[in-house]
């Protein structure tokens, strides 16, 4: 199982126990490692020395080809934007169309000769689709026919972070493997293997709702336990300087989690993502609700803010308005907070 994160190994064993299933759907919230799991499953199916139902040997020519990304019997179907993000292809140059976030029909049609040919190395042939919900309806319908009549050697592994967005006809032709958040001890051990310190791993895993892949993404963007601990106080002062390096998506996601936690606390519940010790007393839930809505709108604009500096300023002002006990982004609020009156 070389290379597969330890927290995914129980899931791989369950996927292999499905036996000769011709299509497996790896289903669970995004950020659980679906891509790595799909690759490990494809590798096991294509391995030339291991018995069926066993993980890949990791040493045979087929295993090496999967690792190098050049196996003739393995094809990946993923959105162009994701291929660029993962480094499988170059970003388009200036003035070119932005890479699509959808899997399009021409990409599905382009697989025809692959799905209809015989296996190059005489084992199985595997089509991996990640994430399957990125297929638009036309593309999904085009795939359906192949999924219904796969021939004798073709197998599918589909990963999916939002099963409700998949066509039911696609879902029903797959054996579903439900993925859940891994054991915290396994997730933490893996994060430490990736070079995170104990405190950072714990804080980021909590922030990510237990999803280790996402915790690592936060870490690589420069977040750690210390910065997380100071974020709520910075927001109270309306200061977001230096946080733009996270990028709009992660930043808005982070603030969304802060809003979510404060909303929970305004209803007397424990926070999920942040430590209560670092949070200011919650303000009125209507105000926090409004902030959550503002953040959803900010997410839509954030990918291409017209004026990034202004966009950041408005994020900071919204956060301060929502978190400060008097509701006004006043610079000098010297009064003691009277939370009981809210
Ligand atoms: Zn092998």
């Amino acid at each position: 199982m070389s290379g597969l994160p330890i927290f995914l190994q129980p899931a791989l064993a369950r996927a292999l126990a499905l036996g000769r299933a011709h299509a497996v759907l790896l289903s669970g919230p995004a950020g659980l490692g679906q891509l790595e799991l799909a690759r490990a499953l494809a590798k096991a199916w294509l391995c030339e020395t291991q018995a069926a139902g066993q993980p890949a040997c990791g040493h045979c020519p087929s295993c090496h080809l999967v690792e190098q990304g050049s196996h003739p019997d393995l094809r990946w179907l993923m959105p162009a934007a994701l291929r660029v993000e993962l480094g499988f292809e170059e970003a388009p140059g200036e003035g070119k169309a932005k890479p699509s976030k959808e899997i399009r029909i021409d990409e599905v049609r382009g697989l025809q000769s692959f799905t209809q040919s015989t296996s190059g190395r005489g084992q199985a042939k595997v089509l991996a689709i990640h994430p399957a919900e990125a297929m638009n309806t036309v593309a999904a319908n085009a795939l359906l026919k192949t999924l219904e009549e796969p021939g004798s050697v073709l197998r599918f592994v589909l990963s999916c972070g939002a099963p409700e967005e998949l066509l039911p006809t696609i879902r029903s032709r797959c054996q579903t493997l439900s993925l859940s958040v891994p054991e915290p001890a396994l997730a933490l051990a893996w994060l430490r293997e990736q070079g995170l310190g104990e405190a950072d791993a714990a804080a980021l895993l909590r922030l990510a709702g237990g999803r280790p892949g996402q915790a690592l993404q936060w870490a690589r963007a420069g977040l750690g336990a210390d910065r997380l601990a100071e974020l709520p106080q910075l927001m109270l002062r309306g200061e977001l300087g230096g946080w733009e390096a996270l990028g709009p998506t992660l930043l808005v996601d982070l603030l969304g989690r802060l809003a979510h936690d404060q909303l929970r606390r305004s209803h007397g519940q424990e926070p999920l993502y942040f430590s209560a010790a670092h949070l200011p007393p919650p303000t009125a839930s209507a105000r926090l609700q409004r902030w959550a809505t503002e953040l959803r709108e900010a997410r839509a604009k954030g990918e291409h803010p017209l004026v990034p500096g202004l966009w950041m300023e408005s994020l900071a002002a919204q956060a301060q308005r929502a978190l400060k006990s008097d509701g006004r982004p006043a610079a000098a609020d010297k009064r003691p907070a009277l939370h009981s009156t809210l």
Side-chain angles (χ1 to χ4, degrees):
M1 294 199 199
S2 79
L4 186 68
I6 51 170
F7 67 85
L8 288 174
Q9 291 180 9
L12 177 62
R14 279 165 53 220
L16 289 168
L18 293 174
R20 284 295 310 166
H22 91 275
V24 173
L25 176 65
L26 307 171
S27 172
L32 291 180
Q34 281 94 333
L35 180 67
E36 289 83 357
L37 187 56
R39 185 184 288 114
L41 187 57
K43 197 166 152 188
W45 285 346
L46 293 166
C47 178
E48 287 164 10
T49 65
Q50 285 290 53
Q54 295 296 312
C57 74
H59 310 296
C60 71
S62 176
C63 283
H64 285 305
L65 287 167
V66 172
E67 273 158 31
Q68 290 159 7
S70 53
H71 199 298
D73 296 325
L74 171 61
R75 227 19 107 70
W76 286 93
L77 193 54
M78 53 174 82
L82 188 58
R83 293 201 300 271
V84 169
E85 194 186 313
L86 295 173
F88 295 162
E89 60 185 62
E90 302 259 318
E94 199 67 17
K96 294 269 172 57
K98 272 199 334 138
S100 173
K101 290 188 169 175
E102 286 190 342
I103 293 172
R104 297 198 303 225
I105 177 130
D106 47 324
E107 291 165 316
V108 174
R109 287 203 183 118
L111 290 166
Q112 213 161 37
S113 64
F114 172 74
T115 57
Q116 288 171 359
S117 63
T118 54
S119 157
R121 295 188 63 85
Q123 302 282 114
K125 276 199 311 182
V126 183
L127 180 55
I129 307 175
H130 174 83
E133 68 269 28
M135 287 186 287
N136 59 34
T137 312
V138 196
N141 274 315
L143 179 81
L144 203 54
K145 196 166 156 29
T146 322
L147 202 53
E148 279 166 343
E149 299 161 15
S152 56
V153 290
L154 184 60
R155 302 180 83 174
F156 297 82
V157 52
L158 290 79
S159 81
C160 184
E164 68 288 351
E165 290 174 23
L166 262 192
L167 283 188
T169 39
I170 297 262
R171 270 207 314 264
S172 68
R173 276 159 186 83
C174 300
Q175 296 225 35
T176 299
L177 187 83
S178 297
L179 301 175
S180 48
V181 166
E183 290 285 324
L186 285 182
L188 288 171
W190 178 76
L191 286 170
R192 285 195 301 269
E193 269 174 37
Q194 308 307 307
L196 272 68
E198 197 103 12
D200 290 342
L204 293 175
L205 190 63
R206 176 174 186 168
L207 178 71
R211 292 183 259 173
Q214 200 180 45
L216 185 62
Q217 203 187 0
W218 293 115
R220 290 191 172 144
L223 264 194
D226 292 348
R227 287 190 81 195
L228 270 184
E230 68 183 26
L231 179 72
Q233 293 305 319
L234 289 175
M235 291 298 85
L236 267 181
R237 302 200 296 269
E239 289 171 15
L240 255 182
W243 287 75
E244 52 275 68
L246 271 187
T249 309
L250 289 186
L251 181 60
V252 173
D253 190 358
L254 182 62
L255 295 176
R257 281 160 205 253
L258 182 56
H260 186 93
D261 268 358
Q262 289 298 78
L263 258 173
R264 284 179 62 88
R265 295 175 76 225
S266 75
H267 295 292
Q269 296 166 315
E270 290 293 313
L272 286 180
Y273 305 117
F274 287 78
S275 160
H278 303 137
L279 295 171
T283 50
S285 69
R287 207 194 304 163
L288 291 163
Q289 214 41 283
R290 190 163 61 240
W291 185 30
T293 308
E294 287 166 346
L295 284 168
R296 271 194 295 278
E297 290 163 5
R299 181 175 302 135
K301 286 186 199 148
E303 291 197 19
H304 298 283
L306 284 176
V307 187
L310 278 184
W311 183 78
M312 288 289 292
E313 271 175 35
S314 95
L315 272 190
Q318 286 166 356
Q320 188 184 36
R321 228 174 7 247
L323 293 171
K324 264 182 90 85
S325 61
D326 69 349
R328 281 171 299 170
D333 183 5
K334 299 275 164 45
R335 289 170 301 144
L338 293 172
H339 308 291
S340 56
T341 63
L342 287 172

